[in-house]
Amino acid sequence: MEEGRSQSSQTLDPIAQRKHAAMVDRLSNRHHNSAARRPAAAASPVFDSVSSFLSRFSDSKRDIESDLARIRALSGDLASSPNLKPELDKVSVSISDLDRLLAENSYFLPSYEVRSSLKSITDLKDALEIANSDLLPRKKFSFKNKAPKKETTLPVKEVEVIKPLDVERSNLGVVHDTPGFRNKKGAILVKNFKVSEEGEGDFTLSDLDCCEIHLKGRFRALYMHRLRDCRVFVGPVTGSILIEEVNDCLFMLASHQIRIHHARTTDFYIRVRSRPIIEDSSGVRFAPYRLVYEEIDAELRESGLGEETGNWANVDDFKWLRAMQSPNWCLIPEEERSDIINISEVKEQSDNT
């Protein structure tokens, strides 16, 4: 394979070779400059080639698989049974670290390597879920009295953070039991993440219709599914944003990684460290991030998102593998782009406003 690549590079004309070399230099300089500005405590491993990253990724994947096998072996020992949950929690942290490693380095990886690595992480998450289901005792089910649901077009109060118990995930890893906004229509939904919560929480937006959502402050991950005709304005997300089944929406998002599945006629104004990924989507458009509120610049810097990478224009369509431009996405023409959106004055809403 290496010989084939070498022969291919030798057939390039001098102008193409110079352009290719210039592109590699720009990517390399951007990566090293970004690493130099990152605080030492938050520094990630620096890889000098795709192969060195893949070697590290494979080693970590094997370690996680070995840990899962070891935990299953321990399950037969009654004396070790109480220790299974902490061990499984450690595996969960290791998978999250591996997911973050991929997100922070996917900007220089070929698309097929990103796709393969994402599949490996999904397989590890599935294996962990099966282990949790097989090895941990389930809590007894009981009915609880619930107040009857009622539709409202009034804004809602800020949702308190509640630690999830049993976690149920879809194929995209969407966490259904995280704090979030769900089953709302025609509402203004506001969440301010406190300083003590920064980098810690996961949040979900699900089954929203004709809503406007403001999420200010730093948090770890955002999951969105089944949104229709919504406007979503989000501050820095230190991990990943996963989006599924959205139609006729507008998003302003800043994150290390953004994955979009089953989106239709939706605009994305984004700042992202790695190339955004779309799949099974059509009529989606992209433009640079245009959200402001008090302290957002400091929050973006602290989240490793202080600089515009230009990746909002470098979209990977995993269902379009041809060399030509995918017909499923495009850039928003400048004359059609939204003005800068300032949500500084939007405060927590009360039910009677």
Side-chain angles (χ1 to χ4, degrees):
M1 183 178 293
E2 292 297 330
E3 181 181 353
R5 290 176 182 169
S6 175
Q7 290 175 351
S8 177
S9 64
Q10 290 174 1
T11 63
L12 295 175
D13 59 71
I15 294 177
Q17 287 180 342
R18 286 197 298 272
K19 287 183 178 179
H20 179 74
M23 180 187 69
V24 172
D25 288 342
R26 285 197 301 273
L27 288 174
S28 178
N29 289 335
R30 180 188 299 168
H31 176 61
H32 289 301
N33 290 339
S34 176
R37 283 187 294 271
R38 195 181 301 136
S44 296
V46 177
F47 301 98
D48 56 7
S49 67
V50 172
S51 61
S52 63
F53 171 84
L54 294 178
S55 176
R56 168 65 181 274
F57 186 93
S58 297
D59 289 344
S60 299
K61 177 175 176 287
R62 280 194 297 270
D63 289 343
I64 293 171
E65 290 170 338
S66 297
D67 287 340
L68 285 172
R70 177 179 55 81
I71 292 170
R72 283 194 172 277
L74 285 174
S75 65
D77 183 358
L78 293 178
S80 301
S81 295
N83 299 321
L84 293 181
K85 188 178 188 309
E87 291 293 326
L88 290 168
D89 289 342
K90 289 179 183 178
V91 172
S92 179
V93 171
S94 297
I95 295 175
S96 296
D97 289 343
L98 190 60
D99 199 0
R100 187 177 302 110
L101 182 73
L102 175 61
E104 293 178 353
N105 292 278
S106 59
Y107 68 93
F108 75 89
L109 296 174
S111 296
Y112 63 88
E113 296 292 4
V114 175
R115 184 160 58 249
S116 175
S117 299
L118 287 173
K119 176 64 167 57
S120 296
I121 290 172
T122 299
D123 290 344
L124 290 173
K125 289 178 178 178
D126 290 344
L128 176 61
E129 286 185 24
I130 293 171
N132 273 302
S133 177
D134 291 347
L135 305 180
L136 297 182
R138 292 184 178 273
K139 295 185 177 180
K140 292 183 178 180
F141 179 81
S142 62
F143 289 98
K144 294 183 179 179
N145 293 328
K146 294 185 178 180
K149 292 185 179 179
K150 59 179 181 180
E151 279 196 357
T152 176
T153 59
L154 296 177
V156 301
K157 290 185 177 179
E158 182 178 6
V159 174
E160 295 182 5
V161 175
I162 304 172
K163 295 293 183 181
L165 296 175
D166 297 325
V167 176
E168 177 188 356
R169 296 175 183 267
S170 73
N171 290 335
L172 289 179
V174 177
V175 180
H176 294 289
D177 290 342
T178 61
F181 296 128
R182 297 173 173 83
N183 302 304
K184 301 292 180 182
K185 183 175 182 179
I188 298 174
L189 309 171
V190 180
K191 169 69 178 175
N192 294 304
F193 290 87
K194 307 298 189 298
V195 173
S196 60
E197 299 171 338
E198 65 182 33
E200 293 299 325
D202 295 355
F203 204 75
T204 295
L205 304 177
S206 176
D207 298 289
L208 304 179
D209 189 355
C210 300
C211 293
E212 183 166 315
I213 302 97
H214 300 180
L215 305 181
K216 296 194 291 185
R218 300 169 58 203
F219 58 107
R220 183 176 58 202
L222 177 62
Y223 311 100
M224 294 184 278
H225 50 125
R226 295 190 296 276
L227 272 61
R228 188 178 72 83
D229 197 19
C230 291
R231 289 161 52 88
V232 182
F233 306 107
V234 181
V237 176
T238 59
S240 298
I241 295 176
L242 304 181
I243 302 169
E244 181 182 24
E245 295 183 39
V246 296
N247 294 274
D248 302 306
C249 294
L250 181 149
F251 295 93
M252 291 193 179
L253 312 168
S255 180
H256 283 245
Q257 187 179 58
I258 298 175
R259 307 179 206 169
I260 302 163
H261 296 251
H262 303 286
R264 300 287 184 271
T265 56
T266 292
D267 289 348
F268 295 90
Y269 294 80
I270 62 176
R271 179 177 296 184
V272 60
R273 282 282 304 276
S274 58
R275 295 166 68 99
I277 295 168
I278 68 171
E279 191 168 1
D280 296 311
S281 299
S282 64
V284 294
R285 306 191 302 172
F286 293 84
Y289 193 56
R290 300 180 70 82
L291 183 67
V292 297
Y293 59 81
E294 68 282 357
E295 300 183 1
I296 189 174
D297 289 337
E299 291 174 356
L300 287 167
R301 287 194 301 270
E302 292 164 2
S303 304
L305 295 164
E307 291 190 355
E308 176 56 72
T309 64
N311 278 329
W312 60 270
N314 298 323
V315 180
D316 283 334
D317 184 350
F318 279 6
K319 286 301 179 72
W320 185 262
L321 303 180
R322 302 178 188 177
M324 65 184 69
Q325 166 68 33
S326 165
N328 298 318
W329 70 273
C330 67
L331 305 183
I332 303 176
E334 290 193 18
E335 64 273 14
E336 296 182 22
R337 292 178 186 174
S338 167
D339 294 331
I340 291 175
I341 301 296
N342 189 332
I343 59 173
S344 298
E345 301 303 319
V346 180
K347 305 298 182 182
E348 177 184 352
Q349 305 293 315
S350 62
D351 287 337
N352 57 4
T353 57

